[in-house]
Amino acid sequence: MKKVYIIDDDALIVEMLSQFISMLGYEVEGFTSAINYFADYPDDEGDYAIMLDLNMPDMDGIEVIRQLAERDSNASLILISGYDTSVLHSAEKLAHAHNLKIIGSLTKPISFSLLESLFEEIGNSGTPQFVERGNAHQSLQLSELRDALSGRQIMLHYQPQIDIKSGQMVGVEALVRWQHPQRGLIFPNHIIPMAEEFGLMGDLTAQVINQAVQQTHKWQEIGLRIPVSVNISAENITSLTFPDQLKKLLQRQHFDPSLLTLEVTESELMGDLKTSLDILTRLRMKGVDLSIDDFGTGYSSLSQLHRIPFTELKVDMSFVMNMCDDAEAMAIVKTCIMLGHELKMKVVAEGVESERILKHLEEMGCDIAQGYLIARPMDAENLIRWLNERSKSEPQQQLQSQ
Ligand code: C2E
Ligand code: CA
Ligand code: CA
């Protein structure tokens, strides 16, 4: 498949998708109306794909599917829908009824990491197979997640974090992945809601922390001291037994707690604040660091922030990504950096995708950067490769040894 058409009434989405997909090496053409697409309808063509928004004002996706069927189109479809997955399902049924191929689905807001993995899988599989992104957890079964948790299907990818001044890697964030035997790699936006729904979040977090701790030990064995951050969920910070379970796990593994940071999102904190406050304080007393994640999107007040002993503040990536084109986003990033520093926290900017962003962050005194510019999340083996490459190309970047 070489060519991809994008049909979405939102011009911004068309532009963003076009840029992104052409970067992946496809020829792309975008339309903000299906009417224009059909006016310009390609009559050849071998193998091509259409990314189709189902909710459009003048001709909606369902109508587009009908028209494609009428023209005996051999396009492969990637459907895009909002939250209402019922539309998605009727569109799928309709397309199947007309023998149209659907090779994937995405829900808005579109995650670029998911989009990329979708195209990666399409690229790898030659003949496109269905790759579901956005509602796969609905068809995943509880028993599958149970199997995954008891077997070896849950794994971690690690994304480097660098000190902005020195460029040195100062740690990694562990991000969960599910290597499903049939469905391929499943991302957290499916895993987490499912684990929450089935009450398996405690088990998942335990598994993630366990793996992160073991991996950190392996790195130590080869002389690398790499601090690791893991994400914990609302369920963990309201579970009164979590601090003791964590303590036992760390003791069992003889793990130095100062190498571990627990990330909690600002919005998760807002649930049962009194309990979370108590639990987070107990966790901090056990010697682990605490990070407040996706900061700027929730509603925590200054006094709450001050009461919880956070050691790190992560500015939400939506502000970081847009800061060069949006004065408001820039102001928010700047304010978060100042606030973090006033409260004696390290400030991390996530979603650093360009040199320009990195440079602004440096000027504003931000401490740590994480994002695709530096590296994408990768498995432990590739992380070592990445570190070696980096130390070769920039000799001053010595690996930090113990
Ligand atoms: P997060 O904690 O905010 O993690 C960062 C997410 O942004 C990751 O997506 C990462 O791949 C992506 N990302 C990093 N740099 C960039 C960039 O420059 N540009 C863009 N567009 N994206 C970037 P991922 O791995 O899909 O994780 C999504 C979310 O799922 C995480 O967001 C986190 O909230 C949650 N999550 C991941 N692993 C776990 C886990 O083990 N436990 C829990 N409770 N949540 C997890
Ligand atoms: Ca995080
Ligand atoms: Ca985050």
Side-chain angles (χ1 to χ4, degrees):
M1 190 178 75
K2 277 210 326 267
K3 178 138 188 183
V4 181
Y5 292 94
I6 298 160
I7 313 177
D8 192 313
D9 60 306
D10 185 336
L12 201 67
I13 292 201
V14 172
E15 198 195 340
M16 279 185 347
L17 287 176
S18 303
Q19 277 187 13
F20 193 80
I21 293 165
S22 57
M23 261 166 34
L24 300 176
Y26 294 88
E27 193 187 327
V28 183
E29 204 170 332
F31 295 89
T32 48
S33 140
I35 296 174
N36 296 345
Y37 168 76
F38 283 112
D40 213 285
Y41 185 72
D43 37 10
D44 82 323
E45 336 210 313
D47 230 355
Y48 67 104
I50 302 177
M51 295 190 70
L52 175 64
D53 181 18
L54 293 175
N55 306 308
M56 293 185 293
D58 53 8
M59 185 194 287
D60 67 22
I62 304 286
E63 184 55 33
V64 174
I65 291 176
R66 253 187 226 119
Q67 298 234 5
L68 287 171
E70 256 170 40
R71 289 161 207 239
D72 275 337
S73 164
N74 59 354
S76 300
L77 295 177
I78 297 166
L79 304 178
I80 307 175
S81 72
Y83 283 108
D84 184 5
T85 45
S86 61
V87 185
L88 187 66
H89 285 131
S90 41
E92 282 172 5
K93 270 197 214 135
L94 181 68
H96 284 306
H98 288 295
N99 281 328
L100 283 166
K101 280 174 288 190
I102 304 186
I103 55 169
S105 66
L106 291 160
T107 46
K108 284 184 182 175
I110 295 170
S111 145
F112 283 100
S113 37
L114 294 184
L115 184 64
E116 190 193 16
S117 69
L118 189 149
F119 272 91
E120 217 167 75
E121 292 185 43
I122 292 171
N124 289 342
S125 64
T127 44
Q129 306 204 320
F130 187 67
V131 186
E132 203 175 29
R133 290 279 177 263
N135 65 342
H137 62 276
Q138 291 183 339
S139 51
L140 283 162
Q141 303 295 316
L142 170 61
S143 58
E144 293 177 272
L145 183 59
R146 283 231 180 88
D147 285 352
L149 283 167
S150 56
R152 292 170 178 272
Q153 296 172 27
I154 297 292
M155 58 179 292
L156 297 180
H157 278 186
Y158 300 91
Q159 187 175 35
Q161 301 179 321
I162 60 160
D163 176 274
I164 295 182
K165 267 205 211 95
S166 68
Q168 190 113 33
M169 186 178 88
V170 288
V172 291
E173 177 174 3
L175 296 156
V176 71
R177 302 288 183 259
W178 176 358
Q179 185 64 58
H180 192 286
Q182 282 88 36
R183 298 170 193 257
L185 205 59
I186 300 177
F187 284 76
N189 65 326
H190 298 313
I191 309 171
I192 309 297
M194 194 178 166
E196 274 168 354
E197 191 181 327
F198 294 132
L200 289 171
M201 211 48 229
D203 294 345
L204 181 68
T205 305
Q207 170 109 218
V208 167
I209 296 179
N210 224 330
Q211 288 194 22
V213 162
Q214 285 181 16
Q215 186 56 57
T216 311
H217 273 313
K218 285 190 194 148
W219 285 325
Q220 280 179 300
E221 279 161 18
I222 56 168
L224 296 171
R225 188 179 190 279
I226 305 181
V228 63
S229 299
V230 299
N231 295 281
I232 60 171
S233 75
E235 193 179 309
N236 304 127
I237 50 170
T238 49
S239 154
L240 292 164
T241 51
F242 182 63
D244 284 325
Q245 282 167 351
L246 182 76
K247 184 175 161 198
K248 282 198 194 112
L249 190 153
L250 297 180
Q251 277 173 347
R252 214 170 38 234
Q253 306 240 14
H254 306 289
F255 191 76
D256 171 5
S258 69
L259 280 172
L260 183 66
T261 299
L262 301 176
E263 297 190 3
V264 190
T265 67
E266 192 191 14
S267 49
E268 276 165 342
L269 207 58
M270 296 297 100
D272 179 359
L273 193 71
K274 226 166 123 245
T275 314
S276 352
L277 196 77
D278 173 65
I279 288 167
L280 288 167
T281 308
R282 279 165 57 205
L283 286 170
R284 180 75 191 109
M285 280 159 45
K286 314 242 181 265
V288 298
D289 279 347
L290 294 180
S291 173
I292 182 159
D293 200 0
D294 299 351
F295 189 76
T297 54
Y299 301 95
S300 50
S301 72
L302 288 180
S303 71
Q304 283 157 359
L305 254 193
H306 188 61
R307 266 160 56 207
I308 301 174
F310 284 110
T311 46
E312 180 183 277
L313 182 153
K314 290 184 96 167
V315 186
D316 189 69
M317 66 173 106
S318 61
F319 305 117
V320 177
M321 281 172 179
N322 296 321
M323 62 190 256
C324 290
D325 314 303
D326 175 348
E328 221 166 82
M330 177 73 93
I332 292 172
V333 174
K334 204 176 202 169
T335 310
C336 288
I337 296 171
M338 276 164 39
L339 175 65
H341 286 164
E342 280 297 317
L343 295 174
K344 311 271 179 299
M345 295 188 247
K346 276 178 298 177
V347 180
V348 182
E350 294 191 273
V352 178
E353 292 189 346
S354 72
E355 288 288 354
R356 229 173 120 215
I357 295 176
L358 188 63
K359 192 158 171 289
H360 274 293
L361 290 168
E362 185 176 13
E363 282 162 10
M364 294 191 287
C366 184
D367 306 290
I368 295 165
Q370 178 182 346
Y372 289 174
L373 173 71
I374 298 129
R376 286 169 186 262
M378 53 200 143
D379 62 24
E381 218 171 280
N382 280 313
L383 181 81
I384 297 300
R385 224 168 275 149
W386 177 85
L387 275 168
N388 284 330
E389 290 291 316
R390 203 168 155 85
S391 64
K392 256 188 259 154
S393 61
E394 298 170 55
Q396 75 276 18
Q397 305 277 322
Q398 289 305 314
L399 292 189
Q400 193 183 359
S401 51
Q402 306 186 66

